[in-house]
Amino acid sequence: MSCVLSVSRGAFNTASRAASLDRHCGRQCSALLVRNAARGIRASVAAPEETAEGAVIPTDVELKSEFLQRMQWRGFLAQATKLEELDSKLSTNTPVAAYLGFDATASSLHVGSLLQIMLLRHYQQSGHKPIVLVGGGTTKVGDPTGKDASRQLLTDDVIADNIAGISRVFAKFLKFGDGPTDAVMVNNADWLGEIKYLDFLRDYGRHFTVNRMLSFESVKQRLARESPFSFLEFNYMILQGYDFLELSRRFDATVQFGGSDQWGNIINGVELGRRCDGRQLYGVTAPLLATADGKKMGKTASGAVWLNEELLSPLSTGSSGATPPTPTWASFCASSLSCRATRSSVWRSYLARRSTTPRPSWRTRRPQCCTARTS
């Protein structure tokens, strides 16, 4: 499952500007597409690999719940635990709390994170409660997934500044409040910072076996590359699993979302909840957004596309140094995309993952902006 779209250098980058562009297009246009245009990125969605921990979800599986139906059609589903059982649980009229974590390793989230944020947005629109977890505690350890070297250790002040930076983007996509489906934001430093080491090892460390941890795909890939793998990093999957357990106790969270590279860590949390509290927890992963050469599009990738406007100029600068005037969404479509590309399944698939426009509208007509003459 992949979608690839090449776009020319454009002039937009902020998620808030995407809302104003809707007035020109007549529909909800994606902030991700706008940002990619600003940097000329050729992006693709990486297909998850078959792993020992779970299998890719078949595209033809019949789902009942509104949320999973949305995610299936839009190409968000990669792997899930007990899919049929979760589908039945999400089909009821009772809101189900689910969380997704973001570590504060930079002052802004990136374009790859936007796919995960859209997952939370669809979840809330389907009548459920999203929980945004910022990793004030896990950032001090550093997620080793997909890395050839240890992450740089950050100070408490830098982590606090990064949390302030990444927290700003969520309000543009989620409704926060005290209602049953309103989003909440929590920081895992609130409980990880109070852990007593010996008590934690006795109470929770005994539920993790090194044999099992070494079997996870992310660990096997790191060891296969013969890259140093510190004991500090090896503890990350235990802490992420404990996050799930703690959120299930504090907020009744029963689902954890994440990228497909987080599957092993999510499984740890599901099993820890069962062993410690006898609770049935669930995990769902979405495909990763990858560069054209197949590498994960993240914060450390070359040419990372940030979501905060101060890290990505809203206007491109020509060779003369003069800043061109801000174009409209219609002129952007006319200059950057061909009508042939707009009609293609690639274009529809790309928009499906990064907007909230209902499915039938894309199947019946093209965006109004693309009726203009293209170059």
Side-chain angles (χ1 to χ4, degrees):
M1 173 179 56
S2 65
C3 80
V4 179
L5 176 65
S6 297
V7 290
S8 65
R9 189 171 292 273
F12 312 109
N13 75 311
T14 62
S16 58
R17 180 163 300 190
S20 66
L21 300 176
D22 293 344
R23 295 195 296 270
H24 298 285
C25 186
R27 57 188 60 233
Q28 292 176 327
C29 301
S30 163
L32 175 56
L33 179 62
V34 174
R35 289 183 179 278
N36 281 354
R39 296 295 293 270
I41 282 179
R42 183 174 180 266
S44 66
V45 173
E49 297 180 355
E50 197 89 15
T51 68
E53 301 92 49
V56 177
I57 297 174
T59 57
D60 58 348
V61 63
E62 292 291 336
L63 299 172
K64 299 179 296 183
S65 63
E66 177 187 354
F67 170 71
L68 289 179
Q69 284 180 346
R70 281 195 190 193
M71 296 300 95
Q72 182 184 43
W73 176 75
R74 294 176 185 272
F76 272 101
L77 294 181
Q79 295 158 306
T81 62
K82 297 185 179 295
L83 181 62
E84 292 184 4
E85 189 175 315
L86 175 61
D87 188 33
S88 298
K89 188 177 184 66
L90 296 179
S91 299
T92 65
N93 295 324
T94 303
V96 177
Y99 91 95
L100 206 158
F102 301 85
D103 276 346
T105 53
S107 60
S108 170
L109 295 175
H110 55 89
V111 71
S113 306
L114 187 55
L115 191 149
Q116 308 298 328
I117 296 173
M118 288 302 296
L119 192 152
L120 290 179
R121 177 178 173 88
H122 285 294
Y123 193 70
Q124 186 175 50
Q125 290 179 341
S126 300
H128 299 290
K129 187 178 186 67
I131 300 173
V132 178
L133 174 70
V134 292
T138 45
T139 302
K140 297 179 180 181
V141 176
D143 185 0
T145 305
K147 300 297 179 183
D148 290 327
S150 300
R151 292 180 182 269
Q152 178 183 0
L153 296 181
L154 305 178
T155 65
D156 290 348
D157 290 340
V158 172
I159 293 175
D161 291 341
N162 289 347
I163 289 175
I166 68 176
S167 298
R168 289 159 34 199
V169 72
F170 296 108
K172 300 175 182 178
F173 297 91
L174 302 172
K175 178 181 179 295
F176 288 84
D178 299 323
T181 63
D182 288 343
V184 296
M185 185 179 297
V186 295
N187 187 337
N188 61 14
D190 293 343
W191 54 85
L192 294 182
E194 298 178 354
I195 286 178
K196 294 182 179 180
Y197 188 63
L198 290 180
D199 291 341
F200 183 79
L201 289 181
R202 286 175 57 87
D203 295 339
Y204 304 106
R206 59 191 176 92
H207 296 297
F208 296 87
T209 66
V210 174
N211 313 62
R212 175 65 169 163
M213 295 165 72
L214 290 175
S215 71
F216 291 137
E217 195 67 24
S218 58
V219 176
K220 290 193 294 185
Q221 291 177 2
R222 180 74 172 265
L223 296 177
R225 291 191 289 265
E226 298 184 354
S227 301
F229 197 4
S230 70
F231 178 72
L232 176 68
E233 296 173 287
F234 200 59
N235 278 269
Y236 186 92
M237 63 179 73
I238 298 178
L239 296 180
Q240 183 171 333
Y242 181 71
D243 279 344
F244 200 177
L245 177 66
E246 194 68 27
L247 287 170
S248 71
R249 292 171 172 175
R250 295 185 179 217
F251 299 96
D252 197 27
T254 55
V255 184
Q256 180 182 176
F257 296 128
S260 57
D261 60 338
Q262 295 295 314
W263 181 246
N265 295 344
I266 292 174
I267 290 295
N268 276 332
V270 171
E271 293 184 350
L272 188 63
R274 176 178 56 83
R275 291 170 179 170
C276 291
D277 294 351
R279 295 201 60 179
Q280 179 58 64
L281 304 178
Y282 305 91
V284 178
T285 67
L288 298 177
L289 187 66
T291 57
D293 57 0
K295 296 181 180 179
K296 177 182 176 181
M297 188 177 290
K299 294 184 284 291
T300 56
S302 177
V305 181
W306 304 104
L307 299 187
N308 288 8
E309 58 273 12
E310 68 271 14
L311 297 181
L312 184 61
S313 175
L315 296 176
S316 59
T317 303
S319 58
S320 62
T323 301
T326 303
T328 63
W329 174 247
S331 65
F332 162 71
C333 284
S335 62
S336 302
L337 302 171
S338 67
C339 284
R340 179 180 179 183
T342 303
R343 290 193 300 264
S344 71
S345 60
V346 168
W347 173 236
R348 292 195 302 270
S349 177
Y350 195 89
L351 286 181
R353 294 185 178 95
R354 294 161 187 90
S355 76
T356 54
T357 303
R359 176 179 179 178
S361 61
W362 286 339
R363 305 184 78 177
T364 55
R365 64 186 180 91
R366 290 179 292 151
Q368 298 172 1
C369 55
C370 292
T371 60
R373 181 176 62 84
T374 61
S375 57

